[in-house]
Amino acid sequence: MDELRSRQLKQKLGLFWGNFGLPLIFILIVIVFSITSPNFATSYNLLSNFGFASYVGIAAIGMTFVIMTGNFDISIGSMLALVGVLGSSFIPKIGGVGGVLSTVAIASFLGFINGIFVTKLRIPAFITTLGMLYVFRSLAYIYTNNVPVYISDRFWLYFGNGKLFGVIPFPILLMVICYLVAYLILRKSPVGRYIIAVGTNAKAAALSGINVDNIKILVFTLLGLFVGIASIVNSANLGAANPGLMGQNYEFQVITAVVLGGTALSGGNGSLGGSLVAALIVTFLGNGMGLMQVNSYWQLVATGLVMIFAVSLNKLKFYLLGQGE
Amino acid sequence: MVRFLKLYEKIGIFILIVLASIFLGIATPNFLKTDTILNIITQGTYGAIVGFGMVLAITSGGFDLSVDAVVALTSVFLSILIPNIGIPSAIIISILISCFIGFLNGVIITKFGVNPLITTLSMATIVRGVALLIANGKQIPISVTKFTVIGTSKFLGVPIPIYIMVVLFIIFYLLLYQTPLGRHISAVGSNENAARISGLNVVFIKIIVYVLVAFTASINGVIRTSQAMIGIPSMAPGFTLLVITITILGGTSLSGGKGNLVGAVFAGIFISMVYYGLNLIKVQYFYQLLSVGLILIFALFVDGLRQRYLEAARIKGIKV
């Protein structure tokens, strides 16, 4: 009897954590920072934070898909910089709309290349994308000669600084649209089921007639597309595309968000909503520490600790639910 | 094809070196001087030394992305400790601290069951942050001139770092191929479950591997700091990529179980030749980064191709 009861208790704990853990952490963070720094809880700071969170959140949506198939992409920070400098440098020739479209197209293509390397050559994703991380970054440097590309096109800048009804930052709307599209793909289309099947058991998926390679290429391409959108948001926020500064540590923030959001690193089902809430947590933590004037080196240490903490928490959840990762 | 790939596995890197030598020999008359060659080999040792540790990690089926940060941490500790407690104890303590970081990596990976990539990536951020914190973001000059001996002086006309590499090579070679521990590392890398069932202490073996990787990274930090005579918290950016490239180009298979230490030495020298060639045509630093990234992707391409063909051959029943 005792054993049964303890198992039930464990399950309850696991379910509670799975449903309410993240929002609770988020609320806790907002409360703590509101008390410690008076500038935190202003509507201006909170709204602009939601805007910044979309920069992490949009890519986190794509990364959720990739991690669900049991892969990683650590090249997205460099990809963000490369497509940002490429797209923004095209603006004088093809206009703002063309620049935005070309950025998204190039990013999707880079994601596609990552997918081809991972599937057709069977190179583990993290090491392919580790190589790409350096290739993309150095191409961004070489293309711009390490000079930032300044952006004055109003259409492009609207992606980062535009406000709906004069209040809500446009990136938030963008993130919501991305989320809805991803949600429909994942929960309402066969592709979503295929992605989950590939992540849960690639062999079984292949035997039941799913083209595993194509699904993997698709998720990498999707991630590229989302990174392209995030790149426009980010460069518009900063007013320039900087080949060296854009996307530093970006892959780290995004993967932390996805893992903290409850997606298992070993693949299988994932949580898009969890990734978004976790992206908020990661962004608010950074902003709060900045407002408290925490030394930026401490912030570096903290991001690393949060990542390990997030993975361990995930392990704990799966252990409590008796699923084992 | 199978025979060709088998051959490539053994001597591919030598072919690359010969080709690079011919190319450089034609491109510049300076290349064929003893000084130049020794210089290239010395430059190659830095990556190769850490490559030895990485060979063990990848052979055990793991991975370590924190080596560049460990190099920086060693450098900072050396610059702080040397004026206070003397050179030998400073070196020993710095290396021990690095080994402790490797130990932490191993514990988190084995005991918490966190993926090695995520663990060491996080550890890299943490360690880099700690190095910057300790040094307060500044570079710390070292005024004890004796310390420069390790990185810059020569014995019998050969630079000291080459001796260090040779000694480490012998140790790691014996460890990997001649001791039970080495066989156990390979066993864990080929099939972890089988290794566990046959009674190997997988946790212990993995922790040892990560300690050894951090140890080699720390040695690299000592040599670099001795050459620069400055403790640099931002030392060695992008070095991890170089080390992994050397390891895989040297023929260590990503799928685990098979380590190639000899290959790592020559891959280190090959990369050093590429750098030398790039310096000749006076391109910017970014091109070095690009070249290493492209070489890694090339090496991965070959490794992937090799595995595909060997697998296909195995299915057809050809003995490999």
Side-chain angles (χ1 to χ4, degrees), chain A residues 26-306:
Chain A
F26 177 61
I27 293 169
L28 199 72
I29 286 173
V30 173
I31 293 175
V32 168
F33 282 134
S34 308
I35 296 169
T36 52
S37 45
N39 292 330
F40 184 78
T42 59
S43 63
Y44 175 78
N45 186 49
L46 288 180
L47 267 178
S48 58
N49 256 333
F50 272 105
F52 287 132
S54 61
Y55 151 72
V56 178
I58 290 172
I61 294 169
M63 187 66 85
T64 309
F65 283 134
V66 171
I67 292 184
M68 278 170 68
T69 63
N71 289 299
F72 279 114
D73 190 336
I74 55 175
S75 70
I76 57 170
S78 307
M79 194 193 278
L80 188 91
L82 178 59
V83 300
V85 296
L86 281 173
S88 53
S89 73
F90 294 159
I91 295 177
K93 284 175 211 140
I94 55 175
V97 181
V100 166
L101 289 178
S102 62
T103 305
V104 175
I106 296 168
S108 311
F109 178 68
L110 295 182
F112 175 76
I113 292 180
N114 275 339
I116 292 283
F117 267 88
V118 172
T119 52
K120 299 301 175 194
L121 290 167
R122 291 187 213 164
I123 305 168
F126 63 85
I127 191 149
T128 310
T129 53
L130 180 72
M132 289 300 185
L133 188 160
Y134 288 92
V135 172
F136 294 162
R137 180 70 70 185
S138 45
L139 285 177
Y141 277 130
I142 290 166
Y143 180 69
T144 59
N145 214 356
N146 204 5
V147 180
V149 184
Y150 291 97
I151 302 164
S152 53
D153 181 78
R154 287 182 59 191
F155 180 75
W156 183 296
L157 290 177
Y158 190 79
F159 274 80
N161 312 326
K163 296 226 160 65
L164 290 173
F165 318 118
V167 208
I168 305 163
F170 184 68
I172 297 181
L173 178 75
L174 215 51
M175 177 168 72
V176 172
I177 295 173
C178 290
Y179 172 75
L180 287 178
V181 171
Y183 182 84
L184 290 178
I185 294 176
L186 184 61
R187 302 293 174 210
K188 302 288 174 200
S189 80
V191 176
R193 289 197 300 279
Y194 296 161
I195 292 174
I196 296 173
V198 168
T200 316
N201 188 335
K203 265 198 183 137
L207 287 175
S208 53
I210 297 171
N211 189 328
V212 175
D213 281 4
N214 282 356
I215 292 291
K216 285 188 182 170
I217 294 173
L218 177 74
V219 293
F220 275 101
T221 313
L222 268 179
L223 173 58
L225 184 132
F226 286 123
V227 170
I229 297 171
S231 173
I232 298 164
V233 171
N234 186 236
S235 55
N237 265 327
L238 302 169
N242 188 318
L245 295 180
M246 258 179 98
Q248 288 290 358
N249 254 352
Y250 187 51
E251 61 280 353
F252 206 78
Q253 288 173 313
V254 171
I255 295 176
T256 307
V258 175
V259 174
L260 194 62
T263 304
L265 282 173
S266 49
N269 210 342
S271 161
L272 289 172
S275 298
L276 280 198
V277 179
L280 286 176
I281 292 179
V282 171
T283 314
F284 276 65
L285 259 183
N287 175 263
M289 286 195 289
L291 283 178
M292 279 174 71
Q293 296 179 332
V294 176
N295 185 327
S296 66
Y297 309 138
W298 270 119
Q299 294 190 29
L300 213 56
V301 176
T303 47
L305 288 175
V306 169

